[in-house]
């Protein structure tokens, strides 16, 4: 991997989706520099939506990157997954209408995945679609939700049940924003980084095993490469399958189990990445029980998840049926067949419709709890 | 026009939008015949959404056209434009989630434009997009909202402010449903039929002048041809410009004025077609004052609008500023320039950004009220 690994800490890549293609710019000190935002603004009206945690750190710096002649409005929402609701999206629409913003306005999402998903969905449906720019400030959103155009909100009956596919005009990943990110959230983001290695790139997985401490120490070049490689792997998959009819489902490795954990524990109590980390380990364990992976593969997976600072056990209070009930409503579950993403090898994921129910239930019964 | 006019009362056309293309089937006795619905269902789950007025007439007949092995749910909403709100769409999502419907479910919109717009929007955002079929039961929805993929709901600050572009799998126009349509609503639908002639087809406009009484008497062949020609004209425009960046705006002839009337009077008090009828006459009058049309053109327009049974005067209580205030928020109004659809000739509409404000205000001040 080292020969293709860039020595620079500033990189750009393009997500190829025909007329909906857009660039991702990655590096330190992007915020506050007008060169990175202005090419992607349509009209003269801009609304920056962020949350109470991110605003004090980065809102002023972002605004320095917006030309003075624009009409700029700010909306600061509460932080956390529990605000990813219809009511929050309605607040964005109310603010846009109150400001008299037209169809050429641009929304800027400054924050993590919750802000990105909500603002993207608000943009998708405001006057049947306006432009938006993602400025993700968590590692998770930088490597995951800022690529692929999935937007939406949670419903009491399920995560991301209401939403749209809507691509941003551009994604701006300022790696300096990770300096203020809590360590627990950095680890949660690393779960998705590890996922890309597990599903599609064994070489990247090996690189991650070597560089995990550099990443947790926020070493700039290691960060830039981990983010770029993750975005590229996701972008390649999304370009193949924009609306998740096929290969894109591979990105859900660990998510069927993970969503069940998140939903059961109440959104926001477990971080998404923490739940996905455990979910990936469950999928790897199941793959081993199907005879596709060795015990050594399972141990390697557990080791890198642990090295990222992530939990390896499911919540103590989750029974087998708690998992099954949540998994039945999962969006990947088509016409009552349970569809899981499993691994044929480390670095090679497949979609599997035929897991015998007893094997699944045995996994759910025996997977470690704490 | 007579040589291209079909003698049959059953017709089909295709709306060409690449992989989002879909057919419109027009004719009597389509409802209840499985041949017309089943080709467009994806999975095994179907939800029929209709309203309290339409359900007693057509819901049972529609269900006869659905194979017995499907899981079918019904949702009956109140009737009227005032129900075209987020709360109604949320009810559809709640019902879908309660029934455990997955991403391969199909929604069927049985009713007028309000039902079609809401169900289309619900389908666009449920699990980021599921299929839907339009079964429009009013002339207005048959010739207008069932073609083009515009979906959405009203906001207290403006009509259709929240929505999405989402194409149906198919549109089923059973002309028998017009037999129970109130005469006032038939007239409202004829406003949009006349619109197609005014913006794009002078020959069709002349045919409508000849056949207006046959249409109001629900003569089947005249109806089928008026619907097909209207859908074809709209489909051609939509195919050129799916997301309303250019030529599609021509379809808004009369709508900037009309929306102002609807919003000022409170949605549902004036029918959409009635407001559009007056709005078209205002646009034609303004075109005449710009020197583009003759007085005779204005008289001809007024005559056919009157022959359709539509009002020719604006509401007595609407001042110039009542119009202007509402028009400023109109979606067609880009970066504070007022954009109007006007006529260069009967049958040839243009988008015009340069109407002098005094001329517009004079029109608004002098246009007849009642």
């Amino acid at each position: 991997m080292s020969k293709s690994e860039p020595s620079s800490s500033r990189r750009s890549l393009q997500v190829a989706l025909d007329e909906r293609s857009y660039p991702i710019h990655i590096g330190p000190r992007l915020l506050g520099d007008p060169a990175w935002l202005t090419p992607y603004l349509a009209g003269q009206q801009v609304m920056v939506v962020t949350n109470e945690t991110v605003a004090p750190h980065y809102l002023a710096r972002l605004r320095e990157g917006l030309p003075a002649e624009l009409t700029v409005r700010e909306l600061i929402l509460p932080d956390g997954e529990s605000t990813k609701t219809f009511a929050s999206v309605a607040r964005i629409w109310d603010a846009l209408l109150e400001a008299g913003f037209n169809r050429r306005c641009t929304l800027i999402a400054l924050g993590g995945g919750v802000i990105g998903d909500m603002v993207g969905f608000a943009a998708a449906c405001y006057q049947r679609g306006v432009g938006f720019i993602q400025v993700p400030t968590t590692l998770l959103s930088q490597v995951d939700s800022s690529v692929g155009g999935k937007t939406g909100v949670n419903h009491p009956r399920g995560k991301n049940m209401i939403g749209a596919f809507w691509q941003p005009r551009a994604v701006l990943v300022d790696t300096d924003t990770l300096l203020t990110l809590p360590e627990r959230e950095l680890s949660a983001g690393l779960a998705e980084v590890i996922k890309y290695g597990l599903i599609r790139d064994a070489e990247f997985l090996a690189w991650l095993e070597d560089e995990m401490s550099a990443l947790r120490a926020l070493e700039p070049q290691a960060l830039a490469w981990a983010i770029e490689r993750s975005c590229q792997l996701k972008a390649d998959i999304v370009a193949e399958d924009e609306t998740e009819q096929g290969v894109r489902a591979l990105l859900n490795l660990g998510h069927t189990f993970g969503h069940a954990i998140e939903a059961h524990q109440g959104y926001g109590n477990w971080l998404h990445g923490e739940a996905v980390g455990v979910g990936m380990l469950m999928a790897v364990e199941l793959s081993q029980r199907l005879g596709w992976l060795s015990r050594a593969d399972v141990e390697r997976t557990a080791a890198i998840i642990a090295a990222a600072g992530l939990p390896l056990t499911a919540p103590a209070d989750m029974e087998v049926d708690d998992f099954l009930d949540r998994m039945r409503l999962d969006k990947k579950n088509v016409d009552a067949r349970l569809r899981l993403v499993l691994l044929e090898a480390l670095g090679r994921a497949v979609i599997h419709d035929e897991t015998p129910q007893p094997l699944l239930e045995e996994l759910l019964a025996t997977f470690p709890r704490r």
Side-chain angles (χ1 to χ4, degrees), chain A residues 131-159:
Chain A
F132 85 112
I133 297 170
Q134 296 258 33
V135 186
T137 60
T138 65
L139 181 60
L140 177 64
S141 58
Q142 289 168 355
V143 299
D144 178 27
S145 51
S146 67
V147 189
K150 280 193 182 181
T151 72
V153 295
N154 299 327
H155 187 280
R157 286 181 184 266
K159 199 170 150 65

Side-chain angles (χ1 to χ4, degrees), chain A residues 81 84 144 150 154 158-161 192 244 251-267 270-272 274-279 282 318 322-323 326-327 329-332:
Chain A
E81 181 84 23
K84 192 173 157 180
D144 178 27
K150 280 193 182 181
N154 299 327
K159 199 170 150 65
N160 294 319
M161 281 292 147
E192 297 281 349
E244 200 169 8
L251 294 170
N252 288 317
L253 175 69
H255 281 62
T256 300
F257 298 115
H259 283 170
I261 293 173
E262 278 188 281
H264 184 266
Q265 298 294 300
Y267 293 122
W270 273 55
L271 296 181
H272 177 68
E274 292 170 339
V276 166
V278 173
M282 294 175 84
M318 276 190 82
D322 294 328
F323 275 100
R326 301 284 178 176
M327 290 162 75
L329 191 61
D330 193 279
K331 292 190 296 302
K332 293 176 297 304

Side-chain angles (χ1 to χ4, degrees), chain A residues 16-64:
Chain A
L17 293 165
D18 301 324
E19 78 279 10
R20 293 177 305 287
S21 297
Y22 62 88
I24 303 177
H25 302 296
I26 304 163
R29 295 179 303 284
L30 301 190
L31 276 187
D33 180 346
W36 299 101
L37 268 180
T38 46
Y40 311 107
L41 303 173
Q44 298 297 306
Q45 303 168 325
V46 174
M47 181 165 294
V48 185
V49 185
T50 185
N51 69 34
E52 289 166 352
T53 306
V54 173
H57 292 298
Y58 304 112
L59 183 53
R61 206 186 299 174
L62 174 75
R63 290 206 54 160
E64 287 166 22

Side-chain angles (χ1 to χ4, degrees), chain A residues 4 15 20 31 43 117 166 175 227 242 259 370:
Chain A
S4 59
V15 182
R20 293 177 305 287
L31 276 187
D117 286 5
W166 194 247
T175 49
I227 295 168
E242 189 177 354
H259 283 170
R370 197 184 57 185

Side-chain angles (χ1 to χ4, degrees), chain A residues 264-335:
Chain A
H264 184 266
Q265 298 294 300
Y267 293 122
N269 292 318
W270 273 55
L271 296 181
H272 177 68
E274 292 170 339
V276 166
V278 173
M280 291 194 299
L281 193 55
M282 294 175 84
V284 164
E285 177 72 35
L286 187 56
S287 305
Q288 191 275 324
R289 295 189 189 185
L290 282 163
W292 301 351
L293 297 179
S294 67
R295 280 315 308 168
D297 290 333
V298 179
E299 296 312 318
R300 241 186 101 185
T301 305
I304 192 167
I305 291 172
L310 292 161
L312 297 176
T313 50
D317 62 346
M318 276 190 82
E319 306 290 336
V320 171
D321 281 347
D322 294 328
F323 275 100
L324 289 177
D325 291 349
R326 301 284 178 176
M327 290 162 75
R328 283 199 186 97
L329 191 61
D330 193 279
K331 292 190 296 302
K332 293 176 297 304
N333 182 1
V334 169
D335 285 338

